Amino acid sequence: ETGVTQSPTHLIKTRGQQVTLRCSSQSGHNTVSWYQQALGQGPQFIFQYYREEENGRGNFPPRFSGLQFPNYSSELNVNALELDDSALYLCASSWVGLLDRNTEAFFGQGTRLTVV
Amino acid sequence: GENVEQHPSTLSVQEGDSAVIKCTYSDSASNYFPWYKQELGKRPQLIIDIRSNVGEKKDQRIAVTLNKTAKHFSLHITETQPEDSAVYFCAASMYNNNDMRFGAGTRLTVKP
């Protein structure tokens, strides 16, 4: 098992609502990436946080936003939920160093979000 | 941006046979290529990765090859076992940016 934990594990929300998902990164890691995995698909990159700042973003609208805290844990916020937002949301933590050599990414177990 | 394509989408082999999964990528700046195994209901787990400064890497029954000129890389599993059955994902990224772009996945079934 990795040291990356996510909460909650499952969540049901109504269309139009807002949701916050949380990720606790592995000890020693400074980077958290968020992914959306629809059923039967590969993970799609949402964004990455490095030292508390957004450091890259995939093709997701602004209603997907995030934060990284001083302890390197992270939150993913989704506003105005749509039915298509139903998916498994995965976070992955890693360490990125000054020499541009990152460690492997360790995934959390995911949060299964269902929008009804 | 980076686009990763993966083939085949499903693969069924007999126990003991070899399995090969292939991926292509579009961004020549990508230089880190991991492979993840995801069992049903579980998190993706790294099984092997390769960086662009090598052409092949092996770890017991698993090997990965990389052709930077052609922008494709492959996963090879030899002597397959039923516990190898899972969905396998390839991905591509750059060293200093961990935003991995994943393929659509290959569902591997190993029949006893």
Side-chain angles (χ1 to χ4, degrees):
Chain A
E1 291 297 313
T2 72
V4 183
T5 58
Q6 292 185 242
S7 62
T9 55
H10 295 84
L11 198 54
I12 299 176
K13 286 287 191 178
T14 302
R15 189 172 50 183
Q17 286 188 313
Q18 178 266 344
V19 69
T20 297
L21 310 182
R22 295 178 175 81
C23 174
S24 177
S25 58
Q26 183 159 312
S27 177
H29 285 182
N30 58 10
T31 302
V32 173
S33 299
W34 285 92
Y35 296 85
Q36 179 195 67
Q37 187 176 24
L39 204 59
Q41 303 286 323
Q44 298 294 310
F45 174 69
I46 302 174
F47 45 56
Q48 179 188 81
Y49 277 83
Y50 171 66
R51 294 188 173 181
E52 302 179 57
E53 292 191 1
E54 187 177 293
N55 182 41
R57 189 178 185 92
N59 190 26
F60 280 81
R63 59 189 185 83
F64 285 79
S65 63
L67 284 173
Q68 188 178 34
F69 300 99
N71 66 354
Y72 301 123
S73 65
S74 178
E75 285 183 355
L76 164 65
N77 299 290
V78 187
N79 293 322
L81 283 167
E82 301 177 0
L83 297 180
D84 285 348
D85 295 333
S86 296
L88 179 69
Y89 288 84
L90 295 161
C91 72
S93 78
S94 64
W95 181 83
V96 176
L98 293 174
L99 297 178
D100 294 341
R101 294 295 302 268
N102 56 330
T103 64
E104 68 174 272
F106 291 94
F107 280 88
Q109 82 280 14
T111 293
R112 173 76 58 189
L113 173 66
T114 303
V115 183
V116 297
Chain B
E2 176 65 272
N3 181 46
V4 178
E5 294 192 355
Q6 183 172 347
H7 301 279
S9 56
T10 61
L11 180 59
S12 182
V13 300
Q14 208 65 38
E15 183 177 359
D17 287 350
S18 294
V20 180
I21 302 171
K22 299 182 179 181
C23 289
T24 60
Y25 62 99
S26 61
D27 190 346
S28 57
S30 292
N31 51 19
Y32 175 65
F33 307 93
W35 286 88
Y36 284 84
K37 175 183 180 182
Q38 189 175 29
E39 296 177 59
L40 190 63
K42 296 192 176 180
R43 71 190 78 197
Q45 292 196 308
L46 182 73
I47 56 170
I48 195 167
D49 57 12
I50 191 167
R51 299 184 189 270
S52 60
N53 56 343
V54 297
E56 184 173 358
K57 184 176 177 181
K58 192 173 180 180
D59 183 3
Q60 299 182 342
R61 298 186 296 109
I62 297 172
V64 57
T65 58
L66 170 65
N67 183 327
K68 283 218 74 178
T69 303
K71 293 204 273 258
H72 66 69
F73 55 113
S74 301
L75 176 72
H76 304 252
I77 306 175
T78 59
E79 300 171 27
T80 54
Q81 302 166 2
E83 50 265 39
D84 293 330
S85 297
V87 179
Y88 291 80
F89 294 100
C90 62
S93 76
M94 290 165 49
Y95 280 168
N96 63 341
N97 194 338
N98 203 29
D99 61 339
M100 293 180 290
R101 307 304 169 114
F102 283 80
T106 296
R107 180 173 298 281
L108 173 65
T109 302
V110 180
K111 300 177 186 175

